[in-house]
Amino acid sequence: MSVDWDEVSTVSVEYAKTNRSKCRECEESIDKDLVRVALGSENNKNPKYYHLSCLELAGNVDLKDVEGLDDLDEDDNNEVKKLVQGKKRKASSDPAVPTKKKDAPAKKAKSEDQKKLKEIKEALNSKTMLELKEMLRENNQKVTGVKADLVDRISDGMVHGQLPKCPKCFGGFLNFNSSMISLR
């Protein structure tokens, strides 16, 4: 899948806020805190996201047209500038590995959790819906939803622990969201 640069009206770079967006080139999810490129068009309200390493920016984008550069840390800002200007990456960096926000100790812990989550999800994807629901029932968790929801719920519980029942009514289920915990 290639980009029709004539239809692109805006180009911006940012750190992915969640891991829910998918790269339109490689079809892989863009992990939280990775630098992603958002391409907007007049015809579509929603931007199309890409890994920085999956998109050929050189010759297609002017640096002055890239929004969000000031919001990136210095290393990532310089990396985007190099790619837009057509300069090669450093020999020591792997072009297949997207650029990540610089890790503080808390970020490293989150990164390790994300690796664990990914491994667990891969293992759980081979299980049937019945097996997944049984695992959730054994841990008093919500058992409704599509397979991806069940896998997410189980893997999150395996890494972060079981979500308790609602402390107010003792009957409702709590839903984990990276920005908050809510009732369902």
Side-chain angles (χ1 to χ4, degrees), residues 114-124:
Q114 287 176 342
K115 287 178 185 176
K116 286 180 191 175
L117 279 170
K118 188 173 182 177
E119 291 170 5
I120 292 169
K121 284 180 183 182
E122 288 173 1
L124 289 172

Side-chain angles (χ1 to χ4, degrees), residues 117 152-153 156 160 163 174-182:
L117 279 170
D152 286 343
R153 219 172 283 138
D156 183 66
H160 299 110
L163 287 176
L174 296 176
N175 280 341
F176 178 76
N177 179 323
S178 62
S179 62
M180 71 174 128
I181 294 180
S182 61

Side-chain angles (χ1 to χ4, degrees), residues 70-86:
D70 296 335
D71 297 331
L72 301 180
D73 67 30
E74 186 178 348
D75 291 340
D76 291 333
N77 187 316
N78 290 335
E79 189 67 30
V80 171
K81 287 178 181 176
K82 286 179 189 175
L83 291 172
V84 169
Q85 294 168 350

Side-chain angles (χ1 to χ4, degrees), residues 117 120-122 124-127 132 136 146-156:
L117 279 170
I120 292 169
K121 284 180 183 182
E122 288 173 1
L124 289 172
N125 276 326
S126 64
K127 300 213 178 274
L132 295 173
L136 288 166
V146 295
K147 187 172 184 174
D149 293 338
L150 303 182
V151 168
D152 286 343
R153 219 172 283 138
I154 293 169
S155 60
D156 183 66

Side-chain angles (χ1 to χ4, degrees), residues 8 30 32 37 52 59 63 81 96 111 125 134 158:
V8 174
I30 302 172
K32 182 178 178 182
V37 180
L52 185 58
L63 193 57
K81 287 178 181 176
S111 176
N125 276 326
E134 185 58 33
M158 293 173 84

